[in-house]
């Protein structure tokens, strides 16, 4: 599946973390804050989200 940069719409390599054309990071860390009763809030890293646009999504949006 081909991916497109969300900033410059350039084609991305298969496993790109950054766009080679504009430098936009296409990987975002998803964090959540959890808090149990009687303890301070704690922010934890849950996963890494791919923010690149797949070509199917881009075609549907047009």
């Amino acid at each position: 599946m081909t991916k497109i940069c969300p900033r410059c719409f350039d084609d991305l390599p298969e496993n790109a973390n950054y766009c080679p054309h504009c430098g936009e990071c296409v990987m975002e860390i998803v964090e959540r804050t959890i808090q149990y009763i009687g303890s301070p809030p704690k922010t934890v890293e849950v996963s890494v989200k791919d923010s690149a646009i797949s070509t199917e999504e881009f075609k549907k949006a047009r």
Side-chain angles (χ1 to χ4, degrees), residues 8-21:
C8 70
F9 302 106
D10 195 24
D11 290 332
L12 296 172
E14 182 68 28
N15 294 321
N17 291 327
Y18 294 90
C19 175
H21 184 265

Side-chain angles (χ1 to χ4, degrees), residues 5-54:
C5 174
R7 179 189 279 172
C8 70
F9 302 106
D10 195 24
D11 290 332
L12 296 172
E14 182 68 28
N15 294 321
N17 291 327
Y18 294 90
C19 175
H21 184 265
C22 71
E24 175 75 8
C25 178
V26 293
M27 301 300 284
E28 298 175 357
I29 296 173
V30 178
E31 295 180 340
R32 298 283 187 250
T33 301
I34 56 173
Q35 183 175 12
Y36 296 103
I37 297 173
S39 65
K42 180 179 179 183
T43 302
V44 293
E45 184 179 309
V46 178
S47 64
V48 176
K49 178 182 136 198
D50 187 356
S51 64
I53 302 169
S54 72

